[in-house]
Each structure stands twice: as structure tokens, then as C-alpha cells.
Amino acid sequence: GNSVTQMEGPVTLSEEAFLTINCTYTATGYPSLFWYVQYPGEGLQLLLKATKADDKGSNKGFEATYRKETTSFHLEKGSVQVSDSAVYFCALRNTGTASKLTFGTGTRLQVTL
Amino acid sequence: EAGVAQSPRYKIIEKRQSVAFWCNPISGHATLYWYQQILGQGPKLLIQFQNNGVVDDSQLPKDRFSAERLKGVDSTLKIQPAKLEDSAVYLCASSQGTGWTSYEQYFGPGTRLTVT
């Protein structure tokens, strides 16, 4: 079956530090990959996505590259801000008639001044 | 454009009581999802509707959970009777469709349920 494994948090960084959150997946076929972000007290928001191998998703300074050979989709940002503090979820979706999302356990990011 | 609406935002009940959650998806979205997010875990799909038909309810504990989307618009998720392990955030999401097209899912703020 499908599964997503994320690095455990919390991740604590100083403002302007480089961020990497690791994500690997197991899936049949050719899934689409996603990063969602959940700010305190809010619902999940799509941060970025990639639908095929070697695609790079990017948004708000975050980026992730779909690596089929390593089954990975690591999230990176060159310079984090305090406002990036949130929980980040990696997810996959196989195409098909019931295109449900399979999520990782989430990684909490705390950015301090 | 209004987002996905959910109510209530918080609910505290005792075990063996019943509870219901309501979701109103984005206008025009045919597909509606209910997810359960237990603390420290990622969301898990409970049930997926396409219009008013069920597409996937394989992970719904049918002995105590039920859901309906009678007119293909808003939806209700019910738990009866509740157990302690049902304490979680219940997320509703909607999308334009499913299938081979990669439609984005939009999530509501969730309902936080505490069972004591």
C-alpha cells in the first residue's frame, strides 16, 4: 500500500537559516506528491506539488523535487522566517477513481529570532 | 471565494455519547472528503463522496461512524457511541472532481473533538 515517511520534529531554526524536511514515500505506479502546511488554528493549505518525476514544485520560497530514483520529495527553503512556523505534511496521491491523499505524520517547524 | 466551512470548531463529550459534525464545501465542488487527524499523526481519510454517492469508505469504522451527503452539497459526519480513541480533529475537504485529473483538495479549519 501507499505510505509516506517524514523526519520527526520539532525542527527548531533561527531566522534566515536553511531548512530541509525529509520525505520519502512508498507507492505503486506514479503518484503525485504534495507538501501541505498547517498554521496554528488553521486548516491544511497546499504549499506545493509535483506530478511527475524530476518535477520541481515551488511556492513562497519553498521548493521540493520529485526524485523517483530515491522515492523522495524533500522540502527546502533557503532562508526561513518566523512566519514559517507551522506543521508541514508530505502527502501522495495515486491517480484513479478514488484519489485520496496519504499523509505523513507531519513535522513541526519552529523559527526563532 | 468562500472556503470550506465546518462546525462546530470544538466539541467535548463523554464516552458513549453521540456527536455530529457539519461541513459545507466550496460551491460547485463535486467531491467531499472527511479526514480524521489524531494528535501527532497525519490526516487519515474516513470517507469520500462524489456528489451524493460514496466513492471510498474503506477506513470508516462503520459500527459507530456514519456520514451522509444527501443533496450532494453539505455533509454530516456522526459518531455514535463515541470512544476515547475518537478524540481527534475531523477535517473536511472538497475538490472539483477526482479521477485522472489532479484536482486540488481544499481543507476546512476542522472540528476538534475531545472524548472524556
Side-chain angles (χ1 to χ4, degrees), chain A residues 2-4 21 23-35 48-58 62-76 90-95, chain B residues 102:
Chain A
N2 297 335
S3 67
V4 175
I21 299 178
C23 170
T24 57
Y25 68 89
T26 302
T28 56
Y30 304 96
S32 295
L33 301 174
F34 305 83
W35 277 100
L48 54 84
K49 68 180 182 182
T51 58
K52 61 183 186 296
D54 299 324
D55 267 2
K56 177 184 285 188
S58 61
F62 291 89
E63 58 182 34
T65 302
Y66 188 163
R67 302 286 189 200
K68 193 172 190 305
E69 64 275 14
T70 55
T71 62
S72 65
F73 192 54
H74 304 321
L75 182 68
E76 297 182 335
C90 185
L92 69 82
R93 182 178 68 202
N94 270 322
T95 52
Chain B
S102 298

Side-chain angles (χ1 to χ4, degrees), chain B residues 2 5 10 13 25 34 37 39 45 50 54 76 80 82 86 93 96 105 107-109 111 113 115:
Chain B
Y10 305 92
I13 62 172
W34 282 103
Q37 186 179 9
L39 186 64
L45 180 72
Q50 175 78 3
V54 175
T76 303
Q80 182 180 7
D86 298 332
Q96 286 184 285
Q105 292 184 27
F107 285 80
T111 297
L113 173 67
V115 182

Side-chain angles (χ1 to χ4, degrees), chain A residues 73-107:
Chain A
F73 192 54
H74 304 321
L75 182 68
E76 297 182 335
K77 187 175 185 183
S79 176
V80 293
Q81 305 300 311
V82 172
S83 57
D84 293 327
S85 298
V87 181
Y88 293 81
F89 291 91
C90 185
L92 69 82
R93 182 178 68 202
N94 270 322
T95 52
T97 56
S99 53
K100 69 180 182 182
L101 289 166
T102 299
F103 286 89
T105 54
T107 302

Side-chain angles (χ1 to χ4, degrees), chain B residues 18-113:
Chain B
S18 62
V19 64
F21 313 126
W22 174 82
C23 172
N24 190 23
I26 292 173
S27 178
H29 279 194
T31 307
L32 186 147
Y33 311 78
W34 282 103
Y35 290 85
Q36 180 192 57
Q37 186 179 9
I38 293 172
L39 186 64
Q41 300 181 19
K44 180 186 78 173
L45 180 72
L46 292 176
I47 189 167
Q48 177 181 344
F49 293 94
Q50 175 78 3
N51 296 309
N52 60 350
V54 175
V55 175
D56 183 354
D57 64 357
S58 57
Q59 298 194 84
L60 185 74
K62 298 181 185 64
D63 57 334
R64 298 183 301 105
F65 286 65
S66 64
E68 59 184 14
R69 193 185 184 200
L70 291 176
K71 296 182 179 179
V73 180
D74 55 353
S75 175
T76 303
L77 176 70
K78 296 179 181 177
I79 307 175
Q80 182 180 7
K83 294 185 176 182
L84 295 175
E85 58 261 36
D86 298 332
S87 294
V89 176
Y90 291 85
L91 297 168
C92 180
S94 70
S95 67
Q96 286 184 285
T98 59
W100 297 101
T101 306
S102 298
Y103 289 117
E104 179 180 344
Q105 292 184 27
Y106 294 84
F107 285 80
T111 297
R112 182 177 298 277
L113 173 67

